[in-house]
Amino acid sequence: MSLDAYLNFNGNCREVVEFYAEVFGLEKPHIISFGDGPQNPDYPIPEEAKNLVMHARLSISGSTLMFSDTFPGMPYIVGNNISLSLVSPNLVEVQSAFHKLKEGGNIRMELQETSWSKCYGNLEDKFGIQWQFNLDSGETY
């Protein structure tokens, strides 16, 4: 069983997915746009929606993130109610991801030793997504 996050964006989903794939050293992601599927003449896809992302998926450190753009006319709300947490026993992986994701973003807590981790930090990336970084020492807190 896994718990995956599904992230929605307002027209820039393709940029987001490709950026995250680059940050985590993944292959170019398979992205399905609204215009890629079979078209129903009773419900035509508006021209402005055809290139928007209907679905994309990335596997990052054993977890799955799924992505899409909101369909035109649907409400889009930038939320602060989701936080993605990268937990890794590999210090270089934690540091690399933190430093790449902070570009254009806002650091909330620089990577540092805390009472629960030898290396912890958090930030909001340039797309408004909250990230936490935690070096996994194998201890349970």
Side-chain angles (χ1 to χ4, degrees):
M1 181 183 295
S2 66
L3 178 64
D4 304 330
Y6 206 110
L7 307 172
N8 296 96
F9 294 89
N10 196 26
N12 65 335
C13 186
R14 188 175 307 274
E15 177 187 1
V16 172
V17 173
E18 290 173 352
F19 175 72
Y20 289 166
E22 179 184 326
V23 165
F24 293 102
L26 305 174
E27 292 181 16
K28 185 173 174 69
H30 177 69
I31 297 174
I32 302 167
S33 69
F34 287 107
D36 289 338
Q39 303 297 309
N40 181 335
D42 295 332
Y43 303 99
I45 302 290
E47 202 58 42
E48 67 271 17
K50 289 184 178 178
N51 289 321
L52 294 176
V53 174
M54 182 175 71
H55 181 75
R57 176 186 182 118
L58 296 176
S59 291
I60 301 171
S61 296
S63 297
T64 299
L65 293 180
M66 294 175 281
F67 306 81
S68 72
D69 279 310
T70 55
F71 197 78
M74 299 287 291
Y76 173 75
I77 300 168
V78 175
N80 60 3
N81 61 334
I82 186 167
S83 176
L84 303 177
S85 182
L86 176 67
V87 180
S88 172
N90 183 324
L91 179 61
V92 173
E93 182 180 45
V94 170
Q95 291 170 330
S96 175
F98 182 90
H99 292 298
K100 289 177 182 177
L101 287 167
K102 76 179 184 183
E103 295 300 318
N106 180 28
I107 297 173
R108 296 180 182 262
M109 183 176 183
E110 189 64 60
L111 288 175
Q112 59 191 273
E113 186 170 346
T114 65
S115 61
W116 66 89
S117 177
K118 295 287 183 191
C119 183
Y120 174 83
N122 67 65
L123 57 81
E124 177 179 319
D125 71 18
K126 66 184 180 180
F127 301 107
I129 302 301
Q130 305 296 316
W131 288 85
Q132 297 182 55
F133 302 84
N134 205 352
L135 182 64
D136 182 9
S137 65
E139 297 177 23
T140 304
Y141 292 96

